[in-house]
């Protein structure tokens, strides 16, 4: 139960609104070497005593940079799914597939498991990552106290699954390398591959830019800035 009577979390050690945190005591964690040190000199630029990097209570501009990367990812997500992802050809047939048409083709030809994996990794996960980052950004900007532990877990999940969203790029690269060894068939990446790769990379950068400690700051009565 918090100082104001609110119950914040029950699992694990008690986390209550108004509980003392490092920033409230003037302590900073260096963003480069992770050394925790006391920030001295009110209003002056402070540097890490070990590596010399500039110290901040919270990473400055993280929300703005994260928003910019997320919006760019939303924009690129459209050509990533609307343009051709892969072109395959042989002496008999020649196909051009988007991500979704490729999934449908795999499903119709009986490769249900591969179709499900490609759909989850290449369509569902990137979209869920974008929605999750949007939810986290809106909640920290509104200084929401709603389920901070669950939102922190969501952030860790987004951070963990980011690299596995590149499945389509891996598949195209491997197929192109293998098929080009022969002369009877060709496989090459379409323009959507560039947009799709950019979406994955930008969402990974957005996740890195997001400051997860902002999730917990609304539980304190004061705000922490540079």
């Amino acid at each position: 139960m918090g100082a104001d009577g609110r119950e914040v979390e029950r699992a694990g050690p008690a986390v209550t609104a108004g509980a003392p945190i490092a920033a409230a005591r003037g302590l900073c964690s260096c963003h480069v070497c992770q050394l925790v040190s006391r920030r001295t000199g009110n209003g002056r630029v402070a540097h890490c005593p070990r590596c010399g990097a500039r110290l901040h209570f919270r990473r400055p501009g993280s929300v703005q940079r994260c928003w910019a990367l997320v919006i760019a990812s939303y924009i690129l997500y459209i050509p990533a799914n609307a343009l051709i992802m892969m072109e395959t050809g042989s002496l008999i047939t020649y196909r051009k597939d988007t991500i979704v048409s490729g999934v449908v083709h795999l499903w119709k030809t009986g490769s249900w498991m591969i179709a499900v994996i490609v759909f989850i990794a290449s369509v569902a996960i990137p979209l869920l990552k974008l929605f999750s980052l949007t939810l986290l950004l809106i909640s920290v900007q509104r200084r929401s106290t709603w389920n901070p532990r669950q939102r922190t877990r969501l952030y860790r999940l987004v951070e963990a699954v980011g690299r596995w969203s590149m499945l389509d790029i891996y598949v195209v690269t491997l197929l192109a390398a293998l098929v080009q060894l022969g002369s009877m068939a060709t496989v090459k990446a379409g323009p959507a591959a560039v947009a799709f790769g950019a979406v994955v990379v930008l969402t990974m950068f957005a996740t890195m830019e997001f400051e997860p400690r902002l999730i917990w700051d609304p539980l304190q009565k004061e705000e922490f800035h540079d």
Side-chain angles (χ1 to χ4, degrees):
M1 192 74 70
D4 58 355
R6 281 182 299 168
E7 183 176 342
V8 179
E9 291 290 344
R10 280 299 181 188
V15 179
T16 58
I21 62 173
R25 298 183 176 185
L27 298 174
C28 286
S29 173
C30 177
H31 299 302
V32 178
C33 69
Q34 308 302 321
L35 176 69
V36 176
S37 58
R38 186 173 298 281
R39 182 172 171 173
T40 57
N42 292 333
R44 296 181 180 177
V45 175
H47 294 87
C48 175
R50 182 161 66 181
C51 69
R54 186 173 176 179
L55 292 177
H56 305 280
F57 286 121
R58 297 292 179 263
R59 192 179 302 141
S62 67
V63 172
Q64 291 83 353
R65 286 195 297 274
C66 191
W67 265 124
L69 292 167
V70 168
I71 292 172
S73 300
Y74 274 120
I75 294 171
L76 287 170
Y77 188 80
I78 297 171
N81 283 274
L83 299 178
I84 301 300
M85 170 62 78
M86 185 167 65
E87 299 179 24
T88 56
S90 67
L91 293 176
I92 303 173
T93 60
Y94 192 85
R95 289 184 58 86
K96 293 182 178 180
D97 283 302
T98 63
I99 294 176
V100 175
S101 71
V103 170
V104 172
H105 178 70
L106 288 169
W107 185 271
K108 287 182 177 178
T109 54
S111 302
W112 303 329
M113 186 61 70
I114 298 175
V116 171
I117 292 173
V118 172
F119 178 80
I120 292 174
S122 302
V123 179
I125 288 180
L127 205 54
L128 289 175
K129 280 175 58 184
L130 288 173
F131 288 158
S132 299
L133 287 169
T134 303
L135 171 66
L136 292 172
L137 285 167
I138 291 175
S139 66
V140 299
Q141 282 195 309
R142 295 175 62 86
R143 294 186 60 79
S144 170
T145 58
W146 173 71
N147 281 334
R149 190 183 296 272
Q150 298 302 325
R151 282 185 287 145
T152 303
R153 288 173 178 164
L154 177 63
Y155 169 74
R156 289 175 180 165
L157 180 64
V158 170
E159 190 178 34
V161 302
R163 70 200 69 175
W164 299 107
S165 303
M166 293 285 277
L167 182 63
D168 260 21
I169 304 299
Y170 296 149
V171 170
V172 172
T173 304
L174 287 173
L175 283 177
L178 292 172
V179 174
Q180 296 302 337
L181 295 177
S183 57
M184 304 299 287
T186 59
V187 175
K188 61 181 181 180
V194 177
F196 186 82
V199 170
V200 175
V201 172
L202 288 178
T203 52
M204 290 174 68
F205 282 146
T207 307
M208 292 167 61
E209 286 293 338
F210 184 78
E211 174 63 85
R213 289 177 295 187
L214 294 175
I215 294 173
W216 296 92
D217 282 351
L219 299 181
Q220 308 298 315
K221 293 181 179 179
E222 53 192 317
E223 296 187 33
F224 301 99
H225 299 289
D226 182 16

